[in-house]
Amino acid sequence: MASPPSALPSPGLGGARLEAIERWAWRIPLPTRRLLLLLAVAVGAALVLSGVVGAAVLSRNSDAVHRARTSGVGVAQSATEFRTQLAVADAQAAVTLLSGGLEEPADRAAYDKAVLDASTALTAAATLGRPEDTDDILQLSEQLVRFNGSVETSRANSRQGYPVGSAYLSQARELARTEMVPRADRLRREGERRVAQAANDISGPVSAVGVAAVAVATVLLLAAATIVAGRTRRLVHPAIAVAAVAILVALAVILTSVGDQTNELRSAATDELETFAAANDASSALSNLRVTEINAVAARGSGDALFAQFRVDADALRSRLLGQGSVSLVAQLDSYTSAVRAVEDADTAGDNQAAAALTLTGDSGNTFDDARRAAAGEVAGAQEALTSRVDAADDASRDPVLLIVFGVVAAALAAAGILARARRYR
Amino acid sequence: MRRSPATAAIALACGLALAACSQVDVPERLSGPVSSTTTTAAPAPPPPDCGDPVASLRPTGAATANVPAGSYMAEIKERGRLRVGVDVSTLLFSSVDPFTGEFEGFDIDIAREVAGALFGDPSRVELVAIPYSERLNVLIDGTVDLVSDTFTINCRRREQIAFSSQYFSSGQRLLVKSDSTATTVEELGPDARVCAARGSTSIDNLNALPEPHPEAVPVDTQTDCLVLLQQGLVDAISTDDTILAGMAAQDPNLSIVGPAFSAEPYGLGLPKDQTEWVRYVNAVLEQVRSSGRWSALYERWLADVLGPDPGPPQAVYSD
C-alpha cells in the first residue's frame, strides 16, 4: 500500500483544501507513478471515446432534423397546399355551373392556376416523401387528372347547353370530397407525425447516451485532476485545466444542440404546423363556402337548405378564425357573408337570375376574392413561421467533427499533463 | 451547498434524460380514405291497388283567373306566383339553358299554362329545381303547389299525393351505346348493369323483370346515368323514352333501342286532399288539349326526336 511522504511541505493558499485532497488521494493503494500512468491512459481514452460518441449523436440528430424538414414538414406542407389548391379549383369550377361553361377568362385562369399549383405540390411531395408515401401520391395524381377531366367535360357539355355538364361537375366534386381530400389530409398528418417523431428521436435515449458519455468523461477528468493534485501536492496543472475547459465546452455544445433542436422541432410539430394547417383549413373552408353559395344559386329556387348550410359553415369558420386571432380575415369573411345574404335575398324573392349575377360578377364574387387573398396571406405567414422554426432546428445542428476535436484535444492535454507529473516519480 | 463542475454536468445529463421522458405525442400510422361504393336498389314491394291509377277528378268548369275565395287557388293568387317543382337536367322536358339561365322544355310550358290560367300571365311562376327523389316530399311538405317533372302516375304515389289527368304517354325503353347489339333488357344479359334514377318507377320496373335480370344501378339524377354510360360504368340506361330522347340529344354516340316494356302515363303532381285545385288543373289541361296548344308544344319540343304528333292522351276521370 502506498503511503504519503514523511515530510509534507507547508500548505500554501489552498492549504486546507489541498490537505483534504491529499488525504483522499493517498487512500488509493497504488504507487504514484503507476497511478498517474493509469489515469493518463484511462482519462485519455474516455475523452476520445466521449468525443466520438458525441459526434455520432450530433450526426444522427442532424440527419433527424433533415428528415423532419423533408419527409415531415415538406410532405405535410405539400399535402396541405394540394388540399388548399384543390378547394380553390373546386370553387372556380363551380363558376362553370352558373356561367354555362363560358366563365370569365380570369376565372378560367384562376382554375388553371389552382390545378397547376395542386400538381406542383404533389411533385414536391413526391420529391420529399418516403417510399411509403408513393401510393398516396400516385393515387392523388391520378385522381387530380380525373378531377380535371370531369371539370373539362362539364365545361364542354355546358357550352353546348347540355345538362349533363352539371352531372360531370358533381362527379368531380364527389371525387374531391370523398377521395382526394381525405387522402391529402392523411398524408399531411403523416408528415406531422414524422416531425413529432423526429423531435422525440432527438430528445430520446440515444441523445441521452451521447450527453452522458461526454459528462462521464468530464467527471473522470475532474476526478483524475483531483487525484493528481492530491498526489503531487499541486492544486492546478495548466494542461489538465485546459483539457477540462475543452471537454466542458464539448459538453455545452452537445447539450445546447440537442436541447435547441428538440425545442425547435417540438414547437414546429405542435405549434407552427398546427397554425399552418389551421390557416390552410380556413382557406379551404372559405373555398367550400363559395362552392356552397354557387350550388345554392345553381339549385334554381330550391337552394334554401344550401343557404342555411352556408350560414352554419360561415359561423363555424368565423368562430374558428376568432379563436385563431385572425381578426382581419374575420372582417373579410363578414363582408363576404353579407354579400351572400344579398344573393340569398334575391334568390328567395324568386329572382334567380339576379342572384346568379350577384354571385358571378357582383359583390359576392368580389368580396370572396378579397377574403381568399387574405386567407392566402395568412397561409403564407404561417408557412414562413414554420420554415423559420425548422431553419432554427437546422441552425442548432453542430458539426460532429467539433466533438471529436474537443475530445482529442482534451485527451491529449490531460494525458500530457498527467504524464508530465508522472515523470517526476520513479 | 457548493456544486462541482462534475456535479453540474451530471445534473445537466439527468435533466436531458428527464426531458426525454416528455415526448411529443406521435400517432400511429394513419389509415387511408375509404372508397365510396355504388349501392344497388332493394326490390320494391308490390304496388297497392287503387283502381285505374290515371283516373283523376273531373273539372267543374273552365279554368279562369276568377277563383273562389278561400280556395287553394285563391291562396296561390294571394301569394302572387305559382310554385312549381321541376327538374334541371331533363333536356326537352325540363332543363336550364346554361346561356340564359332560364328553364325550358315541355313540362315547363305545361306549368306556365297553369300559371297563365290562374294569373292571366304565364310568367307568374316560380320554378323550383328538385331532384327526382324529392318529388313526393315537396308536395307533402307544401314546398310547391305542383310538380311538373315527367311524373309517372301510379297507385303507390297516389297514396301520398294527388295527380292531374294524364297529359303525356311515355314508355320505358333502353339507351345504349350505338355499337351495342342489345335491343332489349333480356339481350343485355344478367351480368349487365342498367342505370336509372333513384325513386323513379324505372328502378321498380327493372327490379320487377323476371329473373335473371340485369343489375339496377340507382343514382340521384337522370343525368348521373348519362355520365356513367359515357364512362362505360354501366351498360345501359333504362327510363322513359322521353327522358332518353333528351340524353340521346346530348350524345350522338348513344341510341334508344327496343320496344317500350312499360307504360308511363305522366301527370302533374298535386298536393293530396286539395280537390278543388286538382279539378282546376285538370280544367287547364282540358283547355291545353282542346285548343291545340298541346300539339304546338309537342311540335316545339319533341317532334324532332319522338316523331310526329301522336295527339294528347285522353283524360280519364273518376267522377
Side-chain angles (χ1 to χ4, degrees), chain A residues 32-306:
Chain A
T32 300
R33 179 180 167 77
R34 196 170 165 195
L35 175 64
L36 295 186
L37 284 174
L38 275 174
L39 282 178
V41 171
V43 168
L47 289 171
V48 170
L49 186 64
S50 71
V52 171
V53 171
V57 167
L58 285 187
S59 174
R60 170 185 173 276
N61 290 353
S62 179
D63 287 347
V65 171
H66 178 71
R67 284 197 306 275
R69 178 191 284 280
T70 54
S71 66
V73 172
V75 167
Q77 274 185 333
S78 300
T80 308
E81 171 74 3
F82 173 83
R83 185 186 188 283
T84 302
Q85 293 304 328
L86 182 66
V88 172
D90 191 21
Q92 287 302 141
V95 172
T96 301
L97 198 63
L98 286 183
S99 59
L102 293 170
E103 63 264 55
E104 294 292 317
D107 288 325
R108 176 61 196 251
Y111 170 81
D112 289 344
K113 182 177 184 309
V115 171
L116 180 64
D117 288 348
S119 180
T120 304
L122 274 186
T123 306
T127 308
L128 300 170
R130 293 182 185 173
E132 59 262 36
D133 300 332
T134 306
D135 183 53
D136 280 335
I137 293 167
L138 283 177
Q139 290 275 352
L140 286 172
S141 183
E142 182 260 339
Q143 286 164 350
L144 183 62
V145 171
R146 276 169 51 204
F147 174 88
N148 192 40
S150 292
V151 171
E152 290 301 335
T153 309
S154 166
R155 191 175 275 136
N157 276 285
S158 295
R159 280 181 179 173
Q160 295 178 76
Y162 294 160
V164 74
S166 66
Y168 273 101
L169 198 58
S170 298
Q171 190 187 53
R173 183 162 304 133
E174 186 71 3
L175 176 68
R177 191 178 64 81
T178 62
E179 295 282 335
M180 300 169 79
V181 169
R183 195 175 291 280
D185 281 347
R186 181 194 161 286
L187 201 56
R188 179 187 86 185
R189 291 197 300 275
E190 188 60 27
E192 291 172 350
R193 194 187 70 85
R194 288 171 189 161
V195 179
Q197 184 67 59
N200 287 349
D201 284 349
I202 290 174
S203 65
V206 174
S207 289
V209 165
V211 172
V214 179
V216 166
T218 308
V219 171
L220 271 179
L221 175 60
L222 295 175
T226 307
I227 292 168
V228 171
R231 286 294 180 99
T232 62
R233 285 189 274 173
R234 186 172 166 189
L235 199 56
V236 178
H237 298 274
I240 299 175
V242 174
V245 170
I247 198 64
L248 282 171
V249 169
L251 183 62
V253 165
I254 192 169
L255 273 173
T256 54
S257 176
V258 169
D260 289 350
Q261 284 176 329
T262 301
N263 289 337
E264 299 296 347
L265 279 188
R266 198 170 281 172
S267 177
T270 55
D271 296 336
E272 276 76 15
L273 256 175
E274 277 183 16
T275 305
F276 176 69
N280 273 281
D281 284 349
S283 177
S284 294
L286 192 61
S287 295
N288 290 338
L289 280 179
R290 176 70 168 163
V291 172
T292 306
E293 176 208 352
I294 290 175
N295 281 345
V297 176
R300 314 278 176 189
S302 61
D304 290 356
L306 287 166

Side-chain angles (χ1 to χ4, degrees), chain B:
Chain B
M1 185 179 127
R2 288 184 184 175
R3 202 177 269 179
S4 71
T7 313
I10 291 167
L12 279 170
C14 291
L16 193 74
L18 282 174
C21 297
S22 135
Q23 303 267 287
V24 182
D25 286 338
V26 180
E28 294 297 316
R29 193 174 165 80
L30 303 148
S31 59
V34 178
S35 297
S36 61
T37 53
T38 306
T39 55
T40 52
D49 182 11
C50 63
D52 185 353
V54 298
S56 186
L57 298 176
R58 188 180 300 279
T60 50
T64 66
N66 295 321
V67 296
S71 65
Y72 190 82
M73 294 79 81
E75 211 177 289
I76 297 170
K77 287 197 73 170
E78 197 174 334
R79 190 193 309 132
R81 59 189 192 276
L82 175 69
R83 297 171 308 183
V84 181
V86 295
D87 189 32
V88 289
S89 56
T90 307
L91 199 62
L92 307 178
F93 269 80
S94 173
S95 65
V96 175
D97 181 333
F99 303 114
T100 64
E102 297 281 1
F103 281 94
E104 60 181 23
F106 187 89
D107 274 345
I108 300 298
D109 284 348
I110 290 288
R112 290 192 196 283
E113 291 293 327
V114 179
L118 256 181
F119 295 101
D121 178 1
S123 69
R124 300 280 286 274
V125 61
E126 180 184 345
L127 298 166
V128 180
I130 51 168
Y132 258 48
S133 53
E134 289 299 307
R135 290 181 297 184
L136 289 172
N137 291 337
V138 292
L139 286 169
I140 293 166
D141 66 19
T143 303
V144 299
D145 306 307
L146 180 156
V147 167
S148 181
D149 190 6
T150 59
F151 211 175
T152 299
I153 305 168
N154 64 31
C155 290
R156 184 175 293 121
R157 287 172 176 162
R158 286 187 65 160
E159 288 184 325
Q160 296 176 279
I161 61 168
F163 277 102
S164 71
S165 59
Q166 181 183 353
Y167 72 92
F168 200 91
S169 294
S170 179
Q172 186 170 351
R173 295 173 71 191
L174 277 182
L175 183 70
V176 295
K177 289 188 174 173
S178 299
D179 58 1
S180 170
T181 55
T183 57
T184 64
V185 175
E186 290 76 21
E187 286 176 11
L188 284 170
D191 295 332
R193 288 161 58 84
V194 180
C195 186
R198 185 177 284 114
S200 68
T201 52
S202 305
I203 280 281
D204 297 342
N205 293 337
L206 283 171
N207 285 322
L209 289 171
E211 294 282 357
H213 58 70
E215 178 189 348
V217 178
V219 292
D220 285 335
T221 67
Q222 300 281 7
T223 45
D224 288 338
C225 279
L226 182 52
V227 171
L228 294 184
L229 183 60
Q230 288 178 333
Q231 293 178 331
L233 298 174
V234 295
D235 302 289
I237 302 170
S238 183
T239 187
D240 305 350
D241 52 6
T242 47
I243 299 169
L244 295 181
M247 293 184 185
Q250 297 177 62
D251 188 341
N253 299 308
L254 304 176
S255 305
I256 302 172
V257 296
F261 57 93
S262 74
E264 305 292 335
Y266 290 167
L268 299 174
L270 302 165
K272 199 171 174 67
D273 301 328
Q274 296 293 347
T275 54
E276 282 179 313
W277 176 227
V278 175
R279 291 181 197 281
Y280 184 90
V281 170
N282 283 341
V284 175
L285 292 178
E286 280 296 341
Q287 289 168 12
V288 170
R289 286 187 196 95
S290 59
S291 65
R293 181 72 181 138
W294 190 97
S295 294
L297 294 179
Y298 185 92
E299 282 296 327
R300 181 183 177 194
W301 295 110
L302 304 169
D304 286 348
V305 288
L306 293 178
D309 176 11
Q314 288 302 308
V316 177
Y317 296 114
S318 56
D319 57 72

